Amino acid sequence: MADRLEIPADAVLVGRVVGAWGVRGWVRVAPFNDARDSLLLALAEWWLRGKGDARVVRVEEARVHGRELVAKFDGIDDRTAAEAFDGFEVLLSRARFPAPAADEIYWADLIGCTVRNPSGEVLGVVTGIDDHVAHPVLRLSDVDEHGAPAPDRLIPLIPEVIVRVDLAERFVLADWRRDY
């Protein structure tokens, strides 16, 4: 059943409902990462936001279906009820993510980190990560020499560029120049 509640402050946007699937209350979900790696398969409590509404749903079952996922919510038993969620954003509580391996990080944890280069220049603050075909890219906000907002800076999220990440200090060291 879908309960109307406040979305947790640590919610991370991970996908979007893109329609109903079948006639028994299932929905199609487009995850924002590879469907096979999606945390949506591992966590049974999802937050949905859309159409002026926010609610938590309990997932009875979720599985990969091509590049998408299909999921069955508790208490949603027909196509009409499932169609009501079309277009809703899917969020997960960061507190419920499994701990990453020692050499891994969740991209969501990079949001808000300050990025500097080895010369000590601040390159910006991470506002998002774009997943491109070749590799992911950090999107940084910055200000110009007069303190006015500057265009976003994009930095490849690859080992050759990202020298160190310190999540405790909210800091990323990148081998990148301001004039790139």
Side-chain angles (χ1 to χ4, degrees), residues 50-65:
K51 301 176 186 173
D53 191 10
R55 58 183 66 208
V56 63
V57 293
R58 280 142 196 91
V59 179
E60 290 179 11
E61 186 178 346
R63 63 181 181 253
V64 176
H65 185 72

Side-chain angles (χ1 to χ4, degrees), residues 77-93:
D77 297 317
D78 61 59
R79 184 174 184 87
T80 302
E83 287 172 339
F85 295 108
D86 188 21
F88 275 58
E89 296 173 321
V90 181
L91 302 101
L92 298 173
S93 170

Side-chain angles (χ1 to χ4, degrees), residues 9-158:
D10 71 343
V12 176
L13 180 62
V14 295
R16 182 177 311 280
V17 177
V18 293
W21 187 72
V23 296
R24 296 194 176 155
W26 288 67
V27 295
R28 292 179 22 245
V29 177
F32 294 158
N33 66 331
D34 187 311
R36 296 166 297 182
D37 298 329
S38 180
L39 288 175
L40 293 168
L41 295 170
L43 300 175
E45 184 175 78
W46 298 1
W47 296 87
L48 302 179
R49 177 175 63 198
K51 301 176 186 173
D53 191 10
R55 58 183 66 208
V56 63
V57 293
R58 280 142 196 91
V59 179
E60 290 179 11
E61 186 178 346
R63 63 181 181 253
V64 176
H65 185 72
R67 292 186 176 178
E68 297 177 338
L69 301 174
V70 291
K72 172 71 173 77
F73 301 148
D74 183 39
I76 305 300
D77 297 317
D78 61 59
R79 184 174 184 87
T80 302
E83 287 172 339
F85 295 108
D86 188 21
F88 275 58
E89 296 173 321
V90 181
L91 302 101
L92 298 173
S93 170
R94 174 61 183 92
R96 296 188 184 223
F97 286 20
D103 62 341
E104 295 178 334
I105 57 171
Y106 285 112
W107 289 358
D109 293 341
L110 294 171
I111 306 296
C113 287
T114 299
V115 180
R116 289 188 173 87
N117 64 21
S119 300
E121 295 175 297
V122 174
L123 301 173
V125 175
V126 179
T127 58
I129 293 96
D130 299 335
D131 194 10
H132 293 279
V133 175
H135 53 74
V137 175
L138 292 177
R139 180 174 296 281
L140 309 180
S141 67
D142 195 12
V143 294
D144 65 19
E145 62 275 3
H146 306 291
D152 285 351
R153 176 173 282 118
L154 303 176
I155 298 178
L157 183 56
I158 57 176

